[in-house]
Amino acid sequence: MIGNLTPVFAALGDDTRWAILVRLGEAPASASALAKEFPISRQAIVKHLDVLARAGLVESQQRGRELVHRALGGRLSDVARELERIGEQWDARLARIKKLAEG
Amino acid sequence: MIGNLTPVFAALGDDTRWAILVRLGEAPASASALAKEFPISRQAIVKHLDVLARAGLVESQQRGRELVHRALGGRLSDVARELERIGEQWDARLARIKKLAEG
DNA sequence: TTCGTGTGCAACCCAACAGTTGCATACGAG
DNA sequence: CTCGTATGCAACTGTTGGGTTGCACACGAA
């Protein structure tokens, strides 16, 4: 099972943050490197990375004097499976209600 | 394919809104009915429903003089599948990079 | 017809959040 | 050693967004 889902969604629900995450999905990178690719300051990047990390979507690792961040696809997949389960449940329930109303 | 994902995530990324959506997943309801179950005003509920509707997660239907809203599990499942695809892609890419670095 | 209830619109408040700038520090390459 | 660069911390600003209240309106039941 997965803990609260909303922090994860909140983390994913910002365009800039999503873009950063997708970028990290292509290849790991440091905050400074990302700041050169995106039109925002390094500090803003750092804040986004922090949010993503707390949501379990990003993991960091010291490499020399750099802190390299990488996207955790596994976590994303876990959330996705949980989400799909819930969605199917809703539709099943709705179908049952409809059937009751008709029959 | 699915349009921009971030609005959907943003919609799901609020505890109250998520709670409302889950509630609608159990059974359709009107805004006024929901307002009696939740500790917030009807207007707040309406705003949340609006956000959810724009994200394609909720559909409304006039029933008598009531506007009844229901959760769209199918939409949730679609997003989930898209998400899982992306997550797997990231991990695959990461594994490839790792292999290159080792070999 | 009348009263109750469900909805819609608008203005307003406050907290959370994205983003900035400035400064201090630390560490690796040359 | 020294310079450049990557990081961390802190304070500040502007905007978004969740929530409220007030009012007008419309429709269904009694």
Side-chain angles (χ1 to χ4, degrees):
Chain A
M1 192 71 81
I2 297 175
N4 276 351
L5 290 171
T6 42
V8 182
F9 295 138
L12 297 173
D14 178 84
D15 286 305
T16 303
R17 205 150 46 217
W18 174 256
I20 291 174
L21 191 59
V22 168
R23 163 60 183 81
L24 288 179
E26 292 170 15
S30 72
S32 297
L34 292 171
K36 282 166 194 159
E37 303 176 22
F38 287 83
I40 59 176
S41 71
R42 174 183 58 93
Q43 287 306 324
I45 299 273
V46 170
K47 286 190 187 177
H48 284 306
L49 290 173
D50 195 50
V51 174
L52 290 170
R54 264 178 295 173
L57 291 164
V58 153
E59 207 175 52
S60 309
Q61 186 183 1
Q62 201 85 25
R63 249 185 108 128
R65 73 169 157 166
E66 292 188 0
L67 234 199
V68 177
H69 311 270
R70 72 169 183 281
L72 298 179
R75 170 77 172 167
L76 206 65
S77 299
D78 289 348
V79 173
R81 273 189 289 274
E82 181 88 1
L83 218 54
E84 186 162 4
R85 224 202 62 228
I86 298 173
E88 285 172 0
Q89 200 179 348
W90 292 351
D91 277 355
R93 222 173 258 154
L94 200 63
R96 211 182 313 145
I97 292 177
K98 207 171 184 180
K99 205 163 197 174
L100 270 174
E102 287 173 356
Chain B
M1 194 69 83
I2 298 175
N4 277 352
L5 290 173
T6 43
V8 182
F9 296 140
L12 297 174
D14 177 84
D15 286 305
T16 303
R17 204 148 47 215
W18 175 258
I20 291 175
L21 191 59
V22 169
R23 162 61 183 82
L24 288 180
E26 293 169 15
S30 71
S32 297
L34 292 171
K36 282 166 194 161
E37 303 177 21
F38 287 84
I40 59 177
S41 71
R42 174 182 58 93
Q43 286 307 321
I45 299 273
V46 170
K47 285 190 187 178
H48 284 305
L49 289 173
D50 196 49
V51 174
L52 290 170
R54 264 178 296 172
L57 291 164
V58 154
E59 207 175 54
S60 309
Q61 186 182 0
Q62 200 85 26
R63 249 182 109 128
R65 73 170 158 165
E66 291 189 2
L67 233 198
V68 176
H69 311 270
R70 73 170 183 279
L72 299 178
R75 170 77 171 167
L76 205 65
S77 299
D78 289 347
V79 173
R81 273 189 289 275
E82 181 87 0
L83 218 53
E84 186 162 5
R85 223 202 65 227
I86 297 174
E88 285 173 0
Q89 200 178 348
W90 291 352
D91 278 354
R93 224 175 254 153
L94 200 62
R96 212 183 312 144
I97 292 177
K98 206 173 185 181
K99 204 164 198 174
L100 269 175
E102 287 172 356

